[in-house]
Amino acid sequence: MAGFAEFLAVEAELDRRWPETVMEPSLDRIRALVDLMGEPERGYPVVHLTGTNGKTSTARMVEAILGQIGLRTGRYTSPHLLLATERISLDNRPITPERYVELYREVAPFVDLVDAGRGDRPALSKFEVLTAMAFAAFADAPVEAAIIEVGLGGRWDATNVADAQVAVVTPIGLDHAAYLGNDLLEIAREKAGIIKPGSVAVLAAQDPAVAQVLLERVAGVDAQVAREGAEFGVRERELAVGGQRLALQGLSGRYDEIVLPLHGEHQASNAALALAAVEALVGAGPQQPLDPDAVRAAFASVQSPGRLERLRGGGGAPVVLADAAHNPHGARALAAALTSEFRFTRLVAVLSVLTDKDVRGLLAELEPAAHEVVITANSSPRAMDPDQLAAIAVEVFGSDRVSVEPVFGEAIEQAVELAEEGGDSGVGVIITGSVVTAGEARRLFGKEPS
């Protein structure tokens, strides 16, 4: 327990810094920090991911494939579901709390130096320090490839001090409006900033205007490009028990009979994106494709916690699922998967959303899939007040389909009871609205950090 107490003390220290929701348009602080550390981010090839949704799932798939073909991997993602250690993984396993503390102690002297010389500028943020810790962990391992997810945006994100060989852009929509604005094309320009000279940009299918912005960046820095629907994509998709069966067109050829134990058409697209990213990184082509058996084994092993994750399954009780959808784009993908891949006769949603989100848009996307919604609050200080959230939910769902239970665990119990009114089969509960909401649901159902 002493080790875990130290971990909590480090988290408390980090939480006194700028929060991750604050972004200043500068890489000066993080660049000064990694320079003092000897530029650990340059010690391994990097796959860098940005986009509005799907980054973490795609990152996990990239890591799974690279691991199956024999490379040692590091993965840096955010935010976490249960413990901050989930953010820094080696070979698909989160580092231990003890290692987290060691990394913090390693970078702390350099952090102090940068902070001491800052003058009237802000001190390093929590995310900047975490990013440096991840870079150090990967250099110390050492890894043969790092998969790094942006925290917010792209161009000014702390992770962008790494010059990636492969830049992956998942679908772009509106999110983090307070920081990135409501102009979709300006958001696309920010995210396009991770595409560097000489890299390969692997692009998910996008709104045509967004795609044009990304392609302009590709041309401007003389990068190469691979586009979903052109150079790669999903060739076939059918539902299967516990997920889906796919045929993917990669950059090096077609890969058949892929079993992906994740739900939703969006996850199939993420799989195609991940496959193309790996091919681009290792230089796979028609003359030298990836080993199809390794690709199949990788996808069969993929887990994406908090992404339509089954927390409790049937057996006479309602199925309980959790999903981290926190914006309209994510809620649309969630609703599509719930209606096309499950046969719920009655589905009750448990919802807690953070105040800076497009709540009305999220509710509107979710409404066709959920028969009722129980409004609650997660533990985040940014969680929207349940009564305020319920008032918006009533406008979208109608008063007869909305109830309020501020205590999170009791809200889930209430949703289970409401679902059970639909009978013994085909009934379920979906807990969603935020990464924090999904994470707390996982904790309540005894899930481990992963």
Side-chain angles (χ1 to χ4, degrees), residues 382-402:
R382 294 162 54 215
M384 180 173 279
D385 176 78
D387 290 332
Q388 183 183 357
L389 178 54
I392 303 172
V394 165
E395 294 176 12
V396 176
F397 279 76
S399 58
D400 57 331
R401 296 168 64 195
V402 178

Side-chain angles (χ1 to χ4, degrees), residues 237 240 242-244 261-267 308 310 337 341-342:
R237 173 179 178 267
Q244 50 195 309
L262 301 175
H263 295 284
E265 187 174 0
H266 60 294
Q267 294 288 19
L308 250 180
R310 188 179 291 245
E341 301 189 22
F342 296 85

Side-chain angles (χ1 to χ4, degrees), residues 149-365:
E149 176 187 324
V150 303
L152 185 63
R155 177 168 50 154
W156 301 118
D157 189 75
T159 61
N160 206 31
V161 291
D163 291 329
Q165 283 75 9
V166 178
V168 177
V169 185
T170 69
I172 293 175
L174 293 175
D175 195 15
H176 301 294
Y179 312 105
L180 300 178
N182 286 305
D183 183 335
L184 190 60
L185 299 189
E186 186 54 39
I187 290 171
R189 290 185 193 98
E190 286 297 314
K191 294 183 185 296
I194 74 164
I195 302 171
K196 302 292 179 62
S199 66
V200 180
V202 180
L203 310 180
Q206 306 283 355
D207 174 280
V210 168
Q212 185 59 38
V213 168
L214 298 177
L215 292 173
E216 286 171 3
R217 170 69 179 183
V218 167
V221 298
D222 196 24
Q224 300 178 61
V225 68
R227 300 157 296 170
E228 182 183 6
E231 287 78 21
F232 69 91
V234 180
R235 294 289 296 271
E236 295 177 12
R237 173 179 178 267
E238 62 181 21
L239 303 187
V241 176
Q244 50 195 309
R245 183 176 290 104
L246 308 172
L248 300 179
Q249 178 64 49
L251 305 179
S252 61
R254 177 173 164 136
Y255 297 81
D256 291 307
E257 294 299 317
I258 290 171
V259 175
L260 181 67
L262 301 175
H263 295 284
E265 187 174 0
H266 60 294
Q267 294 288 19
S269 290
N270 290 340
L273 199 61
L275 175 62
V278 171
E279 290 176 310
L281 185 71
V282 303
Q287 306 307 315
Q288 196 173 17
L290 299 176
D291 177 357
D293 289 335
V295 171
R296 292 187 192 102
F299 282 119
S301 72
V302 168
Q303 295 179 322
S304 195
R307 277 72 182 177
L308 250 180
E309 180 183 11
R310 188 179 291 245
L311 302 181
R312 189 180 72 189
V319 172
V320 179
L321 305 165
D323 192 88
H326 54 275
N327 53 41
H329 190 277
R332 185 182 315 134
L334 170 61
L338 287 168
T339 52
S340 68
E341 301 189 22
F342 296 85
R343 295 292 178 262
F344 289 119
T345 56
R346 184 178 180 85
L347 179 68
V348 181
V350 176
L351 194 72
S352 175
V353 184
L354 303 187
T355 53
D356 59 345
K357 299 300 179 181
D358 179 0
V359 175
R360 190 180 303 277
L362 187 153
L363 285 163
E365 295 290 354

